[in-house]
Amino acid sequence: MKGGKNLKKKGPPNQAKGTSNSKKRFSSIADDSFFEAKDQKRRRKFDHDEDIASSDDDGGEFGSEGEREEKVKEEEEIEETAAETRKRLAEAFLETFRAKEREKEEDDESEGDDEGRRKRDGDRDSRIANRLQQAQLEESGRVRRAVASRVQKPETSQGFRFLVKHRQPVTSVALSEDDSRGFSASKDGTIVHWDVDTGKSEKYLWPSDEVLKSHGLKDPQGRATKQSKQVLALAVSSDGRYLASGGLDRHVHLWDIRTRQHVQAFPGHKGPVSCLTFRQGTTELFSGSFDRSVKIWNAEDRTYISTLFGHQSEVLTIDSLRKERVLTVGRDRTMHLWKVPEESQLVFRAPASSLECCCFINNDDFLSGSDDGSIELWNVLRKKPVHIVKNAHASFSEHKSDQKNNEGLSNGHKENDAQHSLRHVSSALSWVNSIAVCRSSDLAASGAGNGSVRLWEIENESKGIHPLFELPLDGYVNSLAFAKSGKFLVAGVAQEPRLGRWGRVATAKNGVALHPLELS
């Protein structure tokens, strides 16, 4: 114990005196590089020895550790973190803005001193900051772009052109964040990836049943003996990495867009998955089903998060923006605005018997379409619609169907039974099957089965909506998607409605149609 005390007081082990056992202990400690480095440090600190060449050895040891740290740093630099990636992309984005501004100033720029150049650089940066702030406000939905007033009425020669053809009725279309790629699905289970400019398409191939089961697919329930591949809904993540699909097999399927491979099947719904949406800027996925529930998933982690209950009937359409809020409509005549973090919901009741579709205008205003042919404008502060457009899709196609049905009547007049059936067909054709809003703008579009897509302008402060013009398109318009820039509109058109077969337009084509929009 005496040697131990001397070691604590004096430090260097060669100055300690004790028994042979203590000497062995000291020798083992002396051989330890940790204590050796500690002793040499103390010697430099307290003895003030001018000859400190003996510390070269441990300096070499620290130098090797420093080299290891440098290697680790180099490896960390090679593998960028998410924050570093965002910073690099932001700097590149700013540099492109500055380059554009410099090109504009080249003609007017005169040879001046450094102070004048600094002033021009400051003005340019302030313009860039204002432009980025405006873009951020538009992206968040707090500022609405004036696009509807700039849309030019198309000429008679212009119209929808078909990009992709499907064998069965198209149920859903979706566009990527940069508007360069599109996705469509049909009732035969086909999912197609296509290019907006060239129209070149490629099908997604469903893997075998064994692969699907390894990805999470559960066996069919009830009397069903085989899983149905019929797809009813599609959604694309903002980063362009994931495509989600849902249909009659009660699963939410996740696809990798880069490889076009199936990566995950999310079970949990007890009814067909009728609608899907990704929250903007995230990989958070929301799914609505005929089982009256809304489920939340994480596509990146491929995990289930939670379930939202509140609808009393089938959930038909779902939409979301950047905020953690979800908008849903169902056959229970209600629209629900879910506030996920607060675990609360607002319920809006419509006068129609069923709400078929809905979409956000911004965080506080939204549109809906119903089965009686009406379009409703809503505000978060009111439980009833702010404005209702009745018979929004009652147009010339009904008169055409009148003439076709009257050809078989000898007296040229409608009989009672014929008139009743015609009224039923006309009302089915006027159902508003789909509705869409150009993001952060006042331009909206709606589709039905009456032979046209109608464009609408949303008035300031959401006081009302009024029609712009019609875009002829034969068939049931089951899905609509605006380009983020507002330069074109994509429609999923079919011979039959999305969720049934109660109507049929034999002259229509099953496919994806695109209509360019010229802005002044």
Side-chain angles (χ1 to χ4, degrees), residues 165 167 188 190-193 201-205 260:
K165 292 183 180 179
R167 292 184 179 180
D188 60 0
T190 304
I191 301 175
V192 179
H193 178 153
S201 61
E202 185 176 350
K203 291 183 180 179
Y204 280 61
L205 300 178
R260 293 171 177 78

Side-chain angles (χ1 to χ4, degrees), residues 37 93 104 111 169 189 302 342 373 376 384 386 419 421 433 472:
F93 185 67
K104 291 179 182 178
E111 296 182 0
R302 300 175 191 176
E342 295 88 343
E376 297 87 14
K384 293 184 178 180
V386 177
Q419 189 174 4
S421 62
N433 299 321

Side-chain angles (χ1 to χ4, degrees), residues 132-196:
L132 291 176
Q133 185 179 9
Q134 180 72 15
Q136 195 275 334
L137 291 173
E138 291 175 356
E139 184 73 18
S140 63
R142 285 179 282 179
V143 173
R144 193 180 300 170
R145 292 181 293 159
V147 176
S149 58
R150 297 166 52 202
V151 177
Q152 302 294 314
K153 187 173 183 179
E155 300 176 359
T156 54
S157 59
Q158 293 179 339
F160 280 97
R161 62 181 177 91
F162 274 82
L163 286 177
V164 182
K165 292 183 180 179
H166 283 265
R167 292 184 179 180
Q168 293 293 324
V170 176
T171 55
S172 179
V173 294
L175 288 172
S176 62
E177 188 74 11
D178 57 359
D179 298 334
S180 62
R181 297 168 295 175
F183 307 85
S184 55
S186 63
K187 288 186 177 182
D188 60 0
T190 304
I191 301 175
V192 179
H193 178 153
W194 36 271
D195 187 89
V196 171

Side-chain angles (χ1 to χ4, degrees), residues 76-97:
E76 289 178 352
E77 287 175 0
I78 293 172
E79 296 182 1
E80 268 188 336
T81 64
E84 289 171 345
T85 304
R86 286 195 295 269
K87 182 181 178 182
R88 178 174 55 80
L89 294 175
E91 288 175 350
F93 185 67
L94 280 174
E95 189 57 36
T96 55
F97 258 101

